[in-house]
Amino acid sequence: MFGLKKDWSMRVSPRYFTLDDYEGAVGRWCPGCGDFAVVTAVQKILRDEQLAPERVVNVSGIGCSSRLPHYMATYGFHGLHGRALPVACGVKSRRPDLDVWVTTGDGDCTSIGAGHWIHGIRYNMNMVVMLLDNNVYGLTKKQTSPTTAIGTKTNTHPRGSFLPPLDPLTVTLGVSNVSFVAQTVDWNPAHLKATLHAAWKHKGLGFVRILQRCPTYSDHAFEDLQKDPAGLLLLEHERGVQLDESLTKGFPNRTRHDPADMQGALAVANRERGVPVGLLFQDESRPRYDEFTCEGHDMSVEKRLAGIEAELDHFAI
Ligand code: SF4
């Protein structure tokens, strides 16, 4: 309806980009932190797609995982706590030609940033949103987060967290205009990369919850799943995340799930047994706010420039 046309010619690179072209500063996460796997997966996707680093923007809030933009040689914005999505939406609304990746943690997204999370999903701008969920506030050294499991002892709940944790999948699936929801784990690099790649290809906001290891403060959180992958449930479908057959061997439990089926997605997310990994829901027909904002509302380029000139005139001597 709004006729957004991406200028694909701008993606054609004059030379071949290697992984080195996307590597920023040396990662300063703890040894064994799952964040390393995520930044590597993103760099590999950019390399595979040959996206010029200057056409990519990594945006984050505050938290351990939100350091990710520093470790990418792309444009980046390390924002305020919980505010990654407003920044990302601002970038996308004015520069829809750029590839926008959002990194946020469970504290950043599901607590202080919860309002932005809901409205960001509803805006459905074309970007990838990675929720790195380690079930704890890591940067501030082990406080209970909204996704912390009952009974987990933290600095804020030394006798154990007692509220039922918030489920990022069911919450996201419940937001109006949601268009893509997937889940993966940081310790399976093939599934992690394939899932993020699917989110990148999606036209709209691709929300991916990544179960992320924090060996320093929540090493217990996914210990059972790492030791026994039978606790994971691989979602399979021709419209889902595609993995080579050889790579699916790490998932003894599988089920067929059509990501077009919202009720099925909610049922999968609410399962009592088996943590689902793969694509829960996708609907590319849902309206995208970036298609509206990039065109503007009766705002031609000339009108926008005239508006900027008028604002600048306020500061003219
Ligand atoms: Fe990673 Fe946890 Fe260390 Fe933060 S505290 S860098 S999440 S291992």
Side-chain angles (χ1 to χ4, degrees):
M1 175 179 175
F2 299 110
L4 170 61
K5 289 190 174 56
K6 285 184 176 179
D7 184 1
W8 294 101
S9 65
M10 300 186 80
R11 294 167 183 271
V12 177
S13 54
R15 65 187 176 91
Y16 184 82
F17 294 109
T18 67
L19 284 177
D20 287 349
D21 292 308
Y22 304 102
E23 287 178 6
V26 175
R28 294 177 60 191
W29 291 303
C30 306
C33 177
D35 294 352
F36 285 106
V38 177
V39 74
T40 299
V42 175
Q43 288 166 345
K44 285 183 175 176
I45 292 168
L46 300 184
R47 186 273 319 270
D48 290 353
E49 293 293 339
Q50 284 298 289
L51 298 177
E54 66 271 20
R55 312 297 303 173
V56 179
V57 187
N58 277 279
V59 181
S60 66
I62 293 293
C64 290
S65 57
S66 287
R67 295 189 57 80
L68 187 142
H70 295 275
Y71 309 144
M72 299 288 301
T74 65
Y75 283 106
F77 197 112
H78 190 173
L80 299 176
H81 203 197
R83 313 298 182 224
L85 273 163
V87 173
C89 289
V91 172
K92 199 68 191 177
S93 68
R94 288 297 170 262
R95 291 297 305 270
D97 56 311
L98 299 180
D99 265 88
V100 177
W101 295 71
V102 176
T103 306
T104 181
D106 42 306
D108 192 58
C109 175
T110 69
S111 185
I112 191 171
H116 298 306
W117 170 29
I118 289 169
H119 290 289
I121 297 294
R122 178 172 163 260
Y123 286 177
N124 191 31
M125 292 188 171
N126 196 28
M127 62 179 71
V128 179
V129 176
M130 302 181 290
L131 169 58
L132 280 72
D133 190 350
N134 57 12
N135 290 188
V136 75
Y137 283 88
L139 190 68
T140 45
K141 305 191 187 307
K142 200 175 184 180
Q143 288 85 32
T144 301
S145 93
T147 62
T148 303
I150 288 179
T152 305
K153 292 180 179 171
T154 67
N155 291 332
T156 42
H157 294 90
R159 286 182 287 172
S161 172
F162 55 88
L163 288 177
L166 181 152
D167 181 351
L169 295 180
T170 54
V171 172
T172 307
L173 287 167
V175 176
S176 304
N177 209 36
V178 60
S179 71
F180 183 106
V181 180
Q183 180 158 268
T184 184
V185 297
D186 78 56
W187 57 91
N188 187 313
H191 194 268
L192 172 66
K193 179 167 174 264
T195 306
L196 292 177
H197 205 171
W200 178 79
K201 288 179 181 168
H202 172 70
K203 293 180 177 60
L205 190 149
F207 179 86
V208 182
R209 181 196 187 199
I210 303 168
L211 304 186
Q212 179 240 312
R213 291 164 297 170
C214 171
T216 304
Y217 295 121
S218 61
D219 58 342
H220 58 279
F222 309 120
E223 205 174 17
D224 291 348
L225 292 177
Q226 290 170 67
K227 284 182 181 165
D228 183 8
L232 297 170
L233 181 68
L234 182 68
L235 306 180
E236 293 183 307
H237 196 273
E238 51 273 21
R239 287 196 290 266
V241 172
Q242 302 303 317
L243 271 187
D244 285 346
E245 185 61 28
S246 61
L247 298 173
T248 63
K249 287 179 183 156
F251 299 96
N253 288 325
R254 310 176 193 183
T255 190
R256 188 170 166 77
H257 167 66
D258 183 351
D261 176 7
M262 171 59 89
Q263 292 310 313
L266 286 166
V268 164
N270 280 315
R271 284 175 64 100
E272 291 190 0
R273 293 170 61 85
V275 175
V277 287
L279 182 55
L280 282 87
F281 179 72
Q282 183 173 25
D283 181 356
E284 289 194 327
S285 71
R286 303 211 159 177
R288 287 170 37 198
Y289 200 43
D290 53 328
E291 290 190 307
F292 178 81
T293 53
C294 79
E295 293 285 330
H297 189 61
D298 190 28
M299 285 286 278
S300 64
V301 171
E302 291 73 22
K303 280 188 180 177
R304 286 189 209 179
L305 288 176
I308 293 170
E309 289 290 345
E311 285 301 315
L312 292 176
D313 283 347
H314 292 312
F315 304 99
I317 299 173

